[in-house]
């Protein structure tokens, strides 16, 4: 009996997770577990009663914003299949000798976590994150991964997605963001609850310069470069 229950549970999990991933290839996930959880968390834990989000297609997002998040978060986004093993090795070496831990999550991994999972770190979550990363890299295109990421990532306390961020900080749609504005919004991604592009700290300005320099080195990136899967 127990074996049968476990078997059914495993089959159900894989069926539902794969089905949901395929559905999200076309249906936009306007709300995620991250958004719901942070809505009910106290501000001291990164939560916010504020909620701003407006979904836009990738065609209505400035190419400068796409380039900025790649420059800030995942230089090899167009090359890897979900995991940047070179960055993982470098992070592991750094963490062995450094006091402050450095992560190596790709945009694909962050998208999988934001859409399907919860923010608190654990080995269980990391394992599920890897699983869902493989799923979205299998069923979605790079363009779709980027589109979802730029619409669900938190870019300020209670501000989700680049459209809401662009209108909040610069009073314009995401399609009209300049290179410098896109780079400044990208500085919020590691710590959205603590950073505000409208009132950037000295660190944010310094980080913006690094992102701009990396954007220059990367050059233009065609998000449609890889064929639809």
């Amino acid at each position: 009996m127990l074996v049968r229950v476990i078997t059914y549970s495993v089959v159900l999990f894989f069926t539902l997770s794969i089905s949901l991933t395929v559905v999200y290839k076309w249906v936009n996930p306007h709300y995620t577990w991250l958004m719901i959880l942070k809505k009910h968390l106290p501000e001291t834990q990164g939560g916010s009663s504020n909620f701003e989000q407006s979904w836009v297609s990738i065609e209505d997002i400035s190419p400068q914003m796409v380039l900025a998040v790649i420059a800030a978060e995942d230089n090899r986004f167009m090359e890897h299949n979900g995991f940047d093993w070179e960055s993982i090795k470098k992070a592991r070496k750094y963490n062995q000798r450094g006091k402050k831990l450095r992560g190596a999550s790709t945009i694909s991994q962050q998208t999988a976590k934001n859409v399907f999972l919860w923010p608190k770190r654990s080995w269980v979550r990391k394992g599920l994150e890897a699983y869902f990363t493989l799923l979205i890299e299998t069923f979605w295109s790079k363009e779709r991964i980027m589109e979802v990421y730029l619409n669900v990532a938190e870019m300020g306390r209670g501000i989700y997605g680049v459209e809401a961020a662009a209108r909040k900080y610069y009073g314009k749609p995401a399609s009209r963001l300049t290179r410098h504005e896109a780079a400044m919004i990208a500085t919020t991604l590691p710590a959205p609850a603590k950073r505000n592009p409208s009132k950037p700290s000295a660190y944010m300005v310094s980080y913006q310069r690094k992102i701009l320099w990396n954007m220059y080195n990367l050059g233009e990136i065609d998000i449609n470069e890889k064929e639809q899967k």
Side-chain angles (χ1 to χ4, degrees):
M1 182 64 179
L2 179 59
V3 174
R4 182 178 299 177
V5 171
I6 293 174
T7 302
Y8 284 162
S9 298
V10 170
V11 171
L12 181 63
F13 169 75
F14 283 111
T15 301
L16 289 177
S17 59
I18 293 172
S19 298
L20 189 59
T21 304
V22 173
V23 167
Y24 279 164
K25 181 176 181 179
W26 295 285
V27 178
N28 299 329
H30 288 278
Y31 300 99
T32 66
W33 286 114
L34 176 68
M35 296 176 189
I36 296 170
L37 181 63
K38 288 209 167 186
K39 179 74 174 176
H40 297 90
L41 278 177
E43 289 193 5
T44 53
Q45 297 179 32
S48 173
S49 58
N50 178 55
F51 179 87
E52 296 180 48
Q53 200 259 6
S54 182
W55 191 283
V56 289
S57 68
I58 193 72
E59 289 81 11
D60 293 321
I61 298 174
S62 169
Q64 297 299 331
M65 193 68 233
V66 174
L67 181 59
V69 296
I70 291 176
E73 298 288 296
D74 187 0
N75 291 355
R76 298 181 183 85
F77 174 69
M78 295 301 296
E79 301 166 17
H80 63 64
N81 291 314
F83 306 95
D84 187 345
W85 299 110
E86 184 175 336
S87 293
I88 290 173
K89 289 178 182 178
K90 288 181 179 179
R92 185 177 297 170
K93 289 182 180 179
Y94 176 87
N95 293 339
Q96 286 175 347
R97 64 174 184 272
K99 294 182 179 179
K100 186 177 180 180
L101 295 180
R102 175 185 293 176
S105 292
T106 62
I107 286 175
S108 300
Q109 288 175 274
Q110 292 178 49
T111 303
K113 178 194 70 177
N114 288 342
V115 173
F116 299 102
L117 304 171
W118 58 93
K120 190 174 182 180
R121 292 183 180 182
S122 69
W123 287 110
V124 172
R125 198 213 71 187
K126 290 301 290 185
L128 289 172
E129 180 184 300
Y131 169 69
F132 279 105
T133 298
L134 289 173
L135 287 186
I136 66 174
E137 282 281 346
T138 299
F139 293 107
W140 299 1
S141 65
K142 287 291 186 179
E143 181 183 37
R144 179 57 174 169
I145 293 172
M146 179 60 71
E147 181 178 55
V148 174
Y149 176 73
L150 287 175
N151 275 285
V152 303
E154 191 176 13
M155 299 178 176
R157 189 182 291 272
I159 300 170
Y160 297 92
V162 65
E163 181 71 9
R167 292 188 180 278
K168 177 73 174 181
Y169 303 130
Y170 300 113
K172 61 172 68 174
S175 60
R176 293 174 50 204
L177 286 171
T178 66
R179 197 177 187 86
H180 282 72
E181 290 166 347
M184 180 55 76
I185 289 177
T187 67
T188 67
L189 293 170
K194 299 178 181 178
R195 299 178 185 177
N196 183 350
S198 297
K199 300 176 181 178
S201 63
Y203 175 81
M204 289 175 68
V205 173
S206 176
Y207 186 26
Q208 180 196 37
R209 293 196 194 101
K210 292 179 181 178
I211 293 173
L212 287 167
W213 177 250
N214 205 16
M215 290 169 71
Y216 173 79
N217 289 332
L218 287 171
E220 293 185 8
I221 291 180
D222 184 3
I223 202 68
N224 296 301
E225 191 174 303
K226 289 192 174 183
E227 297 180 357
Q228 288 288 99
K229 295 176 184 175

